[in-house]
Amino acid sequence: MLKEIYCSKFKIGGKNGETRPAIQFHEGLNAVIGDGNRSNSIGKSTLLMIIDFVFGGTDYIHKCAAVHQPENVGEHNICFTFEFDGKEYSFLRNNVKYQEIVVCNRSYEPIEKKAPISLDNYMSFLAEKYDVNIEGLTWRGVMSKHIRVFNRDTMDASRPLQASKDGKIADDIKRYLKQFGRYAVVEKQINQAKVADDEKEAFRKSVAFEHIRMAKNDTEYKDNEKKAAELEIQEKQLAENSSKGLLDLDDMQAQRINELNAQLISYTRQRAKVQSQLNSLRREMSEGKKTFKRTYSDLEKFFPGIEFRRIEEIEKFHQSLSKVLTSEFKDSEKDLATTYGLLGNEIAKLKEQIVEIKSIPNVTQAVLKEYARITTELSNVKAANENYKTFDGLKATAKEYAARRDEVIAEQLSAIEDLINTKMKEITARIVNDIRIIPPKLHLEKMNTYSFDTKGDGGSGTALRGLITFDLANMAVSNIPFVIHDADLMDPIEKDTLTKIIAEYDSVKKDHKQVFASFRSFEFYAEEVRTLLESCRVIQLEAKGQELFGWAWNKEVEKEES
């Protein structure tokens, strides 16, 4: 557990005042208390950010920028000690070189023989010592969402799994499944479904790319079966007529040339259509490279004094959109160019066949050509149907694996959902002292969708109570070793309920866990809760020299009279 935090810049009585002693922590609730005036800007949230910093976070650096200004606190070391299995581990982390952790002795002097460790290795150390070593999941991936401090992205009461506003819901849910050891079975089904779908798509693309015919649907499949039967009859009749000497060369040539001309016209029209699409696409690609700046100066000549900045911004947006679409344009151009080439090849072959048929000198060659045509067409028709059956089978397999994937995902999400909701119901009954009150509910709908709310009550106090309840439930049923909660979470919650929440916070000590929470003041609570907060207090911050750093830089310094 976290045992203490020390910083030489923690002061009492002003910027250059007396250095505060190390802040000592314990199991259960560690309360950071404000003053009777419920003063702001005294360092409650900042201290919680520093605790997050101790646990590997970086928001203290990026979201508490004023602290790090040279005229305020400037460069400083945050020193801290953990205790695991009776052994102490001391470190310091600098707010400038914050990507490395320095190993120290108990007096926070760097150990010379110990090189600084990287932030990643340090977090692996924490994961191991806290027994939060989960395959495929980082220490921060587990813990970040339960660190709820003002200005962090984890204060959204409707998104308890969110660690970052930039993160994807699908990633949040994936991490949550891993946290409960339920993602491995899901991943296997996701991968198998993907393999099946990839096989289906690979076959479809190969058929299209190689220009192999494939029946489009059941109707075409049945038509092909009829055509195959007719071609087999023609093949048989040709062989019989040839053996009996009953073939008419002129009629055969005319019939075949008509058939080839019909195909030639069809392919020529298709190629012309593809050429049109290709030309249009290439024009779009070319126009996408043009910029407004080429005509900007001309417009200014004709319209002096007019502000073109907004038009230029729109043009820049179009340019950025064009960049995003560039790869898609290139893929489309490649496909169209390939199709155009294939059609050209087919047209050339048809023209060669027409020339050959017109120049056939005798019946024997005519018979061979006609026989070759029939057998080729018969082979193509059968191949089209065979490809259709193969693709249909691959589609059925992919659909089956997709259904099984969705079934497994639903099973695993439901198991976590039931576990958390049951625990939240128990906690809610205790903190509101009324079993009729509806508890918050987590609904994990899909791998990329979930909801969290309290049915029938959209008030801010209820929403934030639900967020606190969610964290307490996770501590109770999983390996979450601590949570960090800011006073902002508690402000809208009614007094009696908050009194019970404080008791719940401290009860985690039975599981050797910790809660780090800030409170506006003692005065808000009943006498028995004040006594509890007093016993759990790790620091009390006040205005006028009792701030975390000994002073508040959000006030102008009065100038001395000359």
Side-chain angles (χ1 to χ4, degrees):
M1 72 169 189
L2 178 61
K3 189 171 182 179
E4 74 172 29
I5 292 179
Y6 169 81
C7 178
S8 62
K9 296 296 182 77
F10 290 170
K11 300 288 186 178
I12 298 174
K15 184 175 183 180
N16 298 312
E18 178 186 350
T19 300
R20 285 183 180 274
I23 303 170
Q24 303 296 320
F25 300 99
H26 48 260
E27 293 177 343
L29 173 61
N30 294 268
V32 178
I33 310 293
D35 59 24
N37 292 324
R38 298 167 65 84
S39 298
N40 295 317
S41 301
I42 56 179
K44 298 187 303 296
S45 295
T46 301
L47 179 55
L48 295 185
M49 280 290 204
I50 289 171
I51 294 173
D52 173 51
F53 187 63
V54 165
F55 284 115
T58 57
D59 280 346
Y60 176 56
I61 303 299
H62 303 301
K63 297 185 178 181
C64 297
V67 176
H68 312 292
Q69 296 297 322
E71 64 271 22
N72 296 331
V73 178
E75 183 175 354
H76 57 281
N77 293 326
I78 300 297
C79 306
F80 45 95
T81 296
F82 291 96
E83 182 178 323
F84 300 110
D85 299 323
K87 184 178 179 180
E88 293 183 342
Y89 301 83
S90 297
F91 307 92
L92 71 79
R93 189 179 181 191
N94 183 269
N95 68 323
V96 176
K97 298 179 180 179
Y98 60 87
Q99 289 293 339
E100 63 181 32
I101 312 295
V102 179
V103 182
C104 301
N105 60 26
R106 196 60 181 80
S107 300
Y108 298 116
E109 298 166 334
I111 298 175
E112 293 182 3
K113 294 182 180 180
K114 295 278 189 181
I117 58 178
S118 69
L119 183 57
D120 286 342
N121 287 340
Y122 169 69
M123 289 191 287
S124 295
F125 162 82
L126 291 179
E128 179 185 350
K129 293 301 180 182
Y130 274 110
D131 195 22
V132 188
N133 249 330
I134 301 172
E135 186 177 355
L137 195 58
T138 65
W139 163 256
R140 294 297 295 184
V142 177
M143 294 308 308
S144 186
K145 64 181 176 296
H146 298 295
I147 301 172
R148 307 191 190 278
V149 186
F150 172 74
N151 212 25
R152 291 196 85 240
D153 294 337
T154 54
M155 298 290 282
D156 188 342
S158 65
R159 288 285 178 264
L161 301 181
Q162 177 176 280
S164 165
K165 286 184 179 179
D166 296 332
K168 297 179 180 179
I169 291 178
D171 292 334
D172 294 336
I173 294 176
K174 183 189 294 186
R175 282 192 291 267
Y176 204 45
L177 281 165
K178 288 180 178 180
Q179 181 178 322
F180 286 89
R182 292 184 173 274
Y183 185 68
V185 63
V186 169
E187 186 175 33
K188 287 181 181 178
Q189 289 301 141
I190 289 176
N191 290 341
Q192 183 56 62
K194 186 178 185 305
V195 168
D197 191 65
D198 287 347
E199 289 178 350
K200 178 199 72 176
E201 286 303 303
F203 183 81
R204 181 185 65 78
K205 290 179 180 179
S206 69
V207 168
F209 185 76
E210 297 295 337
H211 210 61
I212 302 171
R213 296 176 61 187
M214 180 172 70
K216 296 178 181 178
N217 48 44
D218 287 343
T219 300
E220 187 172 323
Y221 180 87
K222 292 176 181 177
D223 290 342
N224 283 347
E225 285 187 320
K226 293 179 181 177
K227 190 170 185 178
E230 293 172 357
L231 288 169
E232 286 174 346
I233 293 172
Q234 290 177 24
E235 184 182 44
K236 183 178 180 181
Q237 288 178 342
L238 181 63
E240 290 178 352
N241 290 339
S242 177
S243 63
K244 296 176 180 178
L246 300 176
L247 294 175
D248 186 329
L249 179 58
D250 292 337
D251 288 344
M252 288 174 57
Q253 287 178 315
Q255 179 182 349
R256 182 57 183 149
I257 289 173
N258 286 337
E259 292 173 355
L260 292 175
N261 278 328
Q263 291 182 33
L264 184 61
I265 291 171
S266 175
Y267 283 173
T268 302
R269 287 174 177 172
Q270 290 181 48
R271 188 174 66 166
K273 184 177 180 181
V274 170
Q275 177 68 68
S276 176
Q277 293 173 340
L278 192 57
N279 291 340
S280 176
L281 181 62
R282 286 172 175 167
R283 281 196 301 273
E284 290 181 18
M285 292 174 67
S286 176
E287 290 171 1
K289 297 178 182 177
K290 297 179 180 178
T291 64
F292 179 73
K293 290 183 178 179
R294 294 179 184 175
T295 56
Y296 184 75
S297 57
D298 292 337
L299 285 174
E300 286 186 325
K301 291 178 183 178
F302 288 105
F303 302 98
I306 300 299
E307 177 60 58
F308 291 101
R309 186 179 301 277
R310 180 58 182 163
I311 302 175
E312 187 175 11
E313 288 175 353
I314 294 173
E315 178 65 15
K316 287 181 179 178
F317 169 74
H318 289 160
Q319 292 172 22
S320 64
L321 182 61
S322 176
K323 290 179 181 178
V324 173
L325 296 175
T326 296
S327 61
E328 296 182 18
F329 278 145
K330 288 181 178 178
D331 290 341
S332 298
E333 182 190 26
K334 181 179 178 181
D335 291 342
L336 287 171
T338 300
T339 303
Y340 184 83
L342 291 171
L343 287 168
N345 292 339
E346 292 299 319
I347 290 171
K349 290 177 183 178
L350 289 171
K351 289 180 177 179
E352 289 178 3
Q353 290 181 46
I354 291 172
V355 172
E356 288 179 5
I357 290 173
K358 288 181 177 180
S359 63
I360 291 175
N362 55 55
V363 175
T364 301
Q365 289 186 19
V367 172
L368 291 175
K369 292 287 185 181
E370 180 65 7
Y371 188 82
R373 179 193 71 80
I374 292 173
T375 56
T376 298
E377 188 174 357
L378 179 60
S379 176
N380 288 341
V381 170
K382 288 183 175 181
N385 277 11
E386 196 61 38
N387 287 338
Y388 177 75
K389 286 195 297 183
T390 300
F391 185 66
D392 200 45
L394 291 172
K395 279 201 303 183
T397 300
K399 184 178 180 180
E400 181 180 341
Y401 276 115
R404 178 55 185 158
R405 174 202 61 201
D406 294 343
E407 181 182 333
V408 169
I409 289 173
E411 289 172 354
Q412 300 306 313
L413 292 176
S414 179
I416 298 175
E417 184 181 295
D418 290 344
L419 180 66
I420 294 297
N421 287 338
T422 298
K423 184 55 64 175
M424 287 197 297
K425 185 176 181 180
E426 293 174 11
I427 294 171
T428 300
R430 289 198 296 269
I431 63 179
V432 301
N433 200 27
D434 188 344
I435 60 174
R436 297 172 301 173
I437 295 294
I438 297 174
K441 188 172 183 180
L442 174 69
H443 182 33
L444 299 168
E445 300 169 32
K446 298 178 182 179
M447 278 298 293
N448 60 355
T449 308
Y450 78 95
S451 62
F452 183 80
D453 57 21
T454 300
K455 186 178 179 181
D457 192 339
S460 60
T462 299
L464 293 171
R465 184 195 78 205
L467 198 56
I468 293 170
T469 304
F470 174 79
D471 284 349
L472 290 170
N474 275 271
M475 289 187 80
V477 301
S478 72
N479 52 355
I480 300 300
F482 67 86
V483 298
I484 302 177
H485 285 174
D486 207 345
D488 285 10
L489 286 176
M490 305 172 214
D491 281 349
I493 300 175
E494 57 189 23
K495 186 174 181 179
D496 291 342
T497 299
L498 188 53
T499 298
K500 297 291 180 58
I501 287 175
I502 292 170
E504 286 289 324
Y505 278 154
D506 196 45
S507 71
V508 305
K509 62 188 174 186
K510 69 181 184 300
D511 297 320
H512 308 291
K513 298 186 178 186
Q514 294 178 291
V515 172
F516 305 94
S518 65
F519 301 88
R520 300 288 184 203
S521 69
F522 282 118
E523 282 69 15
F524 181 74
Y525 309 102
E527 184 62 36
E528 65 274 15
V529 178
R530 293 185 197 178
T531 302
L532 176 59
L533 282 178
E534 177 66 35
S535 67
C536 296
R537 180 183 62 182
V538 296
I539 190 172
Q540 185 161 3
L541 302 172
E542 301 178 15
K544 299 180 180 179
Q546 298 298 314
E547 296 90 349
L548 180 62
F549 292 100
W551 66 297
W553 47 81
N554 65 336
K555 298 178 182 178
E556 292 185 0
V557 178
E558 295 183 3
K559 297 181 179 179
E560 296 182 0
E561 295 183 5
S562 57

